[in-house]
Amino acid sequence: LLSEAVLLLGASGDVNGFLADGFFGTGAEVCSFAAEGLPVSFMLLVDVSESELSTRMAAREGAAWDMFTESERCASDEVLLRRSAQVRQQTGSLVRAVHGRVCCASLERYDEVAAQLSLLGTSGFVGPAAVRPPVVLVHGGPGSGKVALCSRLASELGCVYLRAETVAEEAA
């Protein structure tokens, strides 16, 4: 689904890049995507401490909270911490697959993240794309702030924020 979306939306020439959230769980998946002629240019690693995650969960709102079923919400702190630990375990193979091109990201560090993306220069995000708009892998656990960060980046940098669950719902 991601390949189709990137090829379809990128063909218009109006897109400066793609923020791909939730499509890649392993380095092998990143390599497979690259084998289709769509390499991942960069990785945004969005992470928060367990204490910050607990604070966010206490608010019981936002995209991370919405993804839980009613039964999961009863044990949400434990479930969320377990899911975040699983995401952290995936990080190493993803970093290797993007050859270390990683920016540790958070909404609090927005200006720094936007500057890092602008360094992609003629590859997209700033000015016309040389060949094809870049694809940036977004990786982070539930409640880390991916949606807030990427929504703002997409709006301000002229890129498309693609969330796996949204693309899958639209395709169905």
Side-chain angles (χ1 to χ4, degrees):
L1 289 176
L2 179 60
S3 299
E4 292 174 18
V6 167
L7 292 172
L8 179 67
L9 296 170
S12 71
D14 297 331
V15 175
N16 285 333
F18 298 92
L19 300 170
D21 176 6
F23 291 93
F24 304 106
T26 66
E29 290 171 350
V30 173
C31 294
S32 175
F33 188 70
E36 295 178 36
L38 299 166
V40 172
S41 304
F42 199 72
M43 177 174 154
L44 290 181
L45 177 59
V46 186
D47 199 10
V48 294
S49 68
E50 287 188 12
S51 62
E52 175 63 18
L53 197 54
S54 293
T55 301
R56 291 178 183 190
M57 281 308 298
R60 303 291 195 248
E61 58 187 27
W65 180 248
D66 294 342
M67 67 180 256
F68 290 110
T69 65
E70 283 300 317
S71 62
E72 287 176 321
R73 288 179 183 177
C74 295
S76 60
D77 289 345
E78 180 182 321
V79 171
L80 188 62
L81 292 172
R82 188 170 49 245
R83 286 187 184 175
S84 291
Q86 291 168 344
V87 167
R88 286 187 182 105
Q89 289 174 349
Q90 296 171 335
T91 302
S93 74
L94 293 171
V95 169
R96 287 187 295 279
V98 298
H99 308 290
R101 295 182 308 262
V102 178
C103 175
C104 294
S106 68
L107 194 55
E108 293 78 16
R109 297 175 58 206
Y110 176 82
D111 291 336
E112 181 182 337
V113 173
Q116 283 277 15
L117 289 179
S118 71
L119 292 176
L120 293 174
T122 57
S123 298
F125 292 108
V126 177
V131 176
R132 158 177 300 132
V135 176
V136 173
L137 182 157
V138 178
H139 185 68
S144 62
K146 295 184 307 290
V147 173
L149 176 68
C150 291
S151 295
R152 184 171 170 194
L153 285 168
S155 173
E156 294 182 13
L157 297 177
C159 57
V160 176
Y161 177 35
L162 298 168
R163 294 178 64 205
E165 63 233 20
T166 306
V167 171
E169 287 171 6
E170 290 175 4

